[in-house]
Amino acid sequence: SEIGYAFPAPTGIVDYDLRHVGGDVPSATIIASVGPDESGGVSIDGSLPLIGNTLVVPMGVSTGVSTQTTSYGPYPGYTSNVTSIGATPQWSPNDRITVRAIIDWQEIANAKTFPLYFTAGDFLPPAISKNYLGQSWAQGRNVTMNLGGIVSAQLTKVWQLKFGAFRSINDYPVSYADEYVDVR
């Protein structure tokens, strides 16, 4: 049925592709960034062949300060610390079998809460300062983790078997809502 749609995503069909493992030479890329509104970070992305092309571990780590840009614009001071680690090791014992693991972990800490304003009537609130207005103690934290694996086996020239198992966790142990009501 997806052929009738201009964009196949509404049908639930998604065509994601993991980074292709290549080469038997270690490689790495380091990217540092500094942006507006107190943002910045560093990331390292690389590939480590442990046994030639048979066992290769693509991996990446990053840490930085992220701005929390709202739908009405960025506001200085509303930041969070984001740390991510990921790897997708691939083992190919021969040209017919591939086993791939997926390991992904991310923590968002010190996430400053953007205040929400509810007016006392059907009118706009007064102009809001573009400075940090939230409570200093209202800093959220969450951890996400994705684990999984994919096995591909070329059974014959025309038959291929693919199997995958995945587990995702999204834990919000600390979260806040900073609300101002009856604003005039």
Side-chain angles (χ1 to χ4, degrees):
S1 68
E2 62 92 14
I3 293 174
Y5 290 93
F7 302 102
T11 65
I13 297 171
V14 178
D15 187 16
Y16 285 116
D17 193 12
L18 291 174
R19 186 171 104 183
H20 295 273
V21 174
D24 55 2
V25 176
S27 64
T29 303
I30 299 173
I31 299 173
S33 63
V34 176
D37 300 317
E38 304 171 32
S39 68
V42 63
S43 65
I44 302 170
D45 184 42
S47 183
L48 180 62
L50 298 177
I51 306 173
N53 284 331
T54 304
L55 179 58
V56 181
V57 181
M59 64 188 117
V61 297
S62 69
T63 187
V65 175
S66 175
T67 59
Q68 297 179 21
T69 303
T70 63
S71 59
Y72 17 88
Y75 283 83
Y78 293 94
T79 58
S80 59
N81 299 335
V82 181
T83 303
S84 300
I85 300 169
T88 54
Q90 178 175 300
W91 177 54
S92 301
N94 57 47
D95 62 345
R96 296 179 311 138
I97 298 173
T98 301
V99 178
R100 192 106 192 236
I102 299 169
I103 304 152
D104 171 55
W105 177 87
Q106 181 180 61
E107 178 186 53
I108 298 175
N110 303 321
K112 295 182 179 131
T113 303
F114 190 81
L116 301 173
Y117 296 91
F118 298 94
T119 62
D122 58 351
F123 51 87
L124 293 173
I128 300 169
S129 169
K130 284 204 173 228
N131 296 321
Y132 180 67
L133 299 174
Q135 304 297 321
S136 61
W137 52 266
Q139 296 186 11
R141 177 179 174 270
N142 78 300
V143 175
T144 58
M145 185 168 46
N146 299 293
L147 302 170
I150 302 170
V151 177
S152 299
Q154 189 69 45
L155 302 176
T156 67
K157 286 186 178 185
V158 295
W159 286 95
Q160 183 180 45
L161 174 67
K162 284 195 176 192
F163 171 80
F166 305 93
R167 170 133 171 95
S168 293
I169 299 167
N170 193 3
D171 184 21
Y172 276 89
V174 180
S175 179
Y176 294 95
D178 194 5
E179 299 177 353
Y180 294 92
V181 295
D182 291 331
V183 175
R184 297 179 188 274

